[in-house]
């Protein structure tokens, strides 16, 4: 079982007197820990620090911690056994299953609107056609075993052609088909890093990538992003100080900031990473979601072939439910990844691979549909926020799926708790970083139709007023 020490938990809890709700200190502490469990910052089955250690780290009485742990146990968010300490759990059954794994399905059937996850619905008609075509093709594959560590040759070839068309010469042998981009990243981490290696990443970043870095027992090295782009000097300093094994970057409509790295930024970062012989993993999940500006040439163009690993897929441009992604790398890396893959999932499903091949054959049609729809949704969300929450600020991204809002107060976790009661599920800013950062931020996806977003924003505004009004009152009381 993993564990968290008092100092680490205290950092994650941040301003728990404010984020943990109302009432006595023990109840706020319990509320703040519950929130960390709910949004995945505190993974399930994590051993909590002893009561003595946490009370010292938070500088509160031991009774406060003991009573908070009791409250968490009663509510089903902690369990303990004599001699084994206390660890995080979730209440059995029920609809309030947490999103500890950062995936989008947990609100289904709860009646809550999910604005925590950035995953649009499928373009039903054309995707159905692609699957129908895949079923037509299937009989040709039935006489084979259906297993292929690398992926179906026809799909590898279609993916390679797509890279070619973006200016990156690629052969099918340089492609490995995976079950989505997240699978690709976990596989890459498992093959290219050892426990204790340092992995550099943009701060903020995509939460599941951060979890994968931690799960691989590597050490995360955050590099802050500027409001308008990448801080190449900060990256160079981090590379010098930490000698990372791997860098994980999302240069195309970065999640959650929506930033798009310019050619100059790509070249400058690649030069630093090449000098230090860091392998760079480039996550291109959002590359085809260009709404205004199109993405510059692929980042891998600036790197030596053996140091560039590009991961991507069709989850955001077409549908996450396909669970098809890929890795592009030099042939030696691809062979190592394929060999390791045998112990994970062996091979990808044939029908989905055939459907994805068909999707790539008609890709422009799919992407045009997705982009047109997202542009309308982004603009509707931006207008509604400007009307109902004019004090919030954000940069309108030129692509991607989300607005990264500065909410003007360190109230993100608090807002998320309150919004649950208003029927809206949000993801707190700190979910996108480490050590409790981004409490003044909220990521709001525009993956729902304009009407849904227009209705949701006044409710978020009401929740925000309630959350910040309570916070102000409490600060007054404390003062
Ligand atoms: C940057 C980034 N990488 C990876 C993923 C996961 O992609 P997939 O569903 O293909 O595993 C996401 C999903 O939101 C993402 O935003």
């Amino acid at each position: 079982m993993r564990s968290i020490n008092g100092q680490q938990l205290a950092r994650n809890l941040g301003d728990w007197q404010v984020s943990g709700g109302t009432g006595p200190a023990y109840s706020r502490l319990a509320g703040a820990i519950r929130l960390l469990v709910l949004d995945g910052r505190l993974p399930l089955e994590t051993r909590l620090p002893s009561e003595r250690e946490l009370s010292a780290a938070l500088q509160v009485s031991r009774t406060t911690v003991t009573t908070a742990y009791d409250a968490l146990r009663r509510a089903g968010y902690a369990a303990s056994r004599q001699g084994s300490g206390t660890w995080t759990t979730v209440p059995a059954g029920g609809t309030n299953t947490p999103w500890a794994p950062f995936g989008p399905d947990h609100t289904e059937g709860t009646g809550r609107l999910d604005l925590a996850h950035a995953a649009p619905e499928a373009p039903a008609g054309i995707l159905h056609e692609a699957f129908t075509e895949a079923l037509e093709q299937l009989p040709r594959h039935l006489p084979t075993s259906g297993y292929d560590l690398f992926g179906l040759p026809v799909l590898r070839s279609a993916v390679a052609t797509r890279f070619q068309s973006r200016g990156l010469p690629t052969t099918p042998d340089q492609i490995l088909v995976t079950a989505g981009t997240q699978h690709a990243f976990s596989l890459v981490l498992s093959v290219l890093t050892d426990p204790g290696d340092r992995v550099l990443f943009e701060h903020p970043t995509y939460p599941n990538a951060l979890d994968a870095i931690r799960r691989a027992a590597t050490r995360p090295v955050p590099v802050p992003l500027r409001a308008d782009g990448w801080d190449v000097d900060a990256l160079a300093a981090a590379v010098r100080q930490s000698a990372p094994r791997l860098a994980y970057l999302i240069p195309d409509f970065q999640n959650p900031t929506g930033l798009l790295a310019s050619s100059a930024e790509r070249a400058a970062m690649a030069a630093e990473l090449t000098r230090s012989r860091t392998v760079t993993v480039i996550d291109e999940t959002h590359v085809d979601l260009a709404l205004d500006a199109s993405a510059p040439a692929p980042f891998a163009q600036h790197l030596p072939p053996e140091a560039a690993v590009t991961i991507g897929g069709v989850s955001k441009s077409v549908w996450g439910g396909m669970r098809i992604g890929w890795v592009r790398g030099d042939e030696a890396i691809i062979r190592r990844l394929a060999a390791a893959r045998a112990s994970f999932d062996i091979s990808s499903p044939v029908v989905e691979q055939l459907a994805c091949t068909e999707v790539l054959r008609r890709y422009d049609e799919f992407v045009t549909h997705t982009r047109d729809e997202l542009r309308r949704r982004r603009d509707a969300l931006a207008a509604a926020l400007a009307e109902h929450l004019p004090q919030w600020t954000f940069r309108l991204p030129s692509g991607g799926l989300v607005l990264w809002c500065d909410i003007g107060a360190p109230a993100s976790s608090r807002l998320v708790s309150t919004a649950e009661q208003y029927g809206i599920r949000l993801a707190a800013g700190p979910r996108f970083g480490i050590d409790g950062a981004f409490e003044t931020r909220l990521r709001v996806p525009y993956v729902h139709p304009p009407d849904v977003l227009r209705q949701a924003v006044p409710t978020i505004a009401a929740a925000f007023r309630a959350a910040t009004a309570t916070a102000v009152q409490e600060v007054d009381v404390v003062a």
Side-chain angles (χ1 to χ4, degrees), residues 66-88:
T66 307
T67 325
Y69 280 11
D70 281 347
L72 285 167
R73 269 189 293 269
R74 276 198 309 279
Y77 289 95
S80 48
R81 198 179 319 113
Q82 193 70 36
S84 307
T86 302
W87 61 89
T88 54

Side-chain angles (χ1 to χ4, degrees), residues 406-462:
D406 184 337
I407 62 174
S412 190
S413 298
R414 180 75 181 229
L415 169 59
V416 171
S417 293
T418 312
E420 284 277 321
Q421 293 151 28
Y422 284 68
I424 295 193
R425 180 153 280 188
L426 297 168
R431 188 67 182 95
F432 300 86
I434 59 173
D435 295 339
F438 308 120
E439 195 51 83
T440 57
R441 296 290 189 149
L442 188 77
R443 189 193 76 166
V444 191
Y446 42 85
V447 295
H448 295 288
D451 282 352
V452 175
L453 295 169
R454 276 192 280 266
Q455 276 174 26
V457 170
T459 310
I460 298 175

Side-chain angles (χ1 to χ4, degrees), residues 97-311:
T97 313
W99 356 314
F102 196 76
D105 289 330
H106 301 286
T107 47
E108 246 168 47
T110 64
R112 282 198 207 98
L113 175 66
D114 183 357
L115 285 177
H117 303 103
E121 78 283 12
I126 35 180
L127 188 58
H128 196 194
E129 283 169 27
F131 272 93
T132 306
E133 178 58 31
L135 286 177
E136 292 283 320
Q137 306 277 331
L138 182 63
R140 275 200 246 149
H141 296 266
L142 295 179
T144 73
S145 75
Y147 288 100
D148 194 327
L149 284 172
F150 292 88
L152 284 182
V154 63
L155 176 55
R156 296 175 79 197
S157 165
V159 175
T161 305
R162 175 102 199 116
F163 277 110
Q164 298 263 25
S165 70
R166 293 175 51 217
L168 195 60
T170 304
T171 65
D173 291 339
Q174 287 178 264
I175 303 295
L176 174 81
V177 176
T178 62
T181 316
Q182 183 64 22
H183 174 220
F185 185 45
S186 299
L187 195 57
V188 169
L189 279 168
S190 76
V191 171
L192 298 187
T193 65
D194 293 313
D197 282 346
R198 292 186 173 84
V199 176
L200 187 144
F201 65 97
E202 296 137 345
H203 198 219
T205 192
Y206 172 55
N208 283 341
L210 205 43
D211 289 349
I213 291 170
R214 292 197 186 102
R215 188 173 286 276
T218 53
R219 283 188 274 171
V221 179
V223 177
L225 285 168
R226 289 198 325 259
D228 59 349
W230 277 256
D231 187 337
V232 179
D233 292 340
L235 179 127
V239 164
R240 268 196 313 277
Q241 284 157 19
S242 65
R245 173 71 73 93
L246 217 71
Y248 167 77
L249 301 178
I250 317 171
D252 304 286
F253 313 115
Q254 204 262 355
N255 188 1
T257 60
L259 289 167
L260 176 64
S262 66
S263 289
E265 283 171 328
R266 286 167 202 243
M269 288 193 279
E272 295 298 338
L273 293 163
T274 304
R275 201 170 329 190
S276 61
R277 297 168 180 261
T278 307
V279 173
T280 306
V281 181
I282 305 122
D283 184 334
E284 292 193 338
T285 299
H286 300 123
V287 72
D288 295 318
L289 302 180
L291 305 185
D292 303 328
S294 50
F299 196 103
Q301 258 192 7
H302 302 280
L303 292 165
E306 68 285 359
V309 178
T310 304
I311 57 178

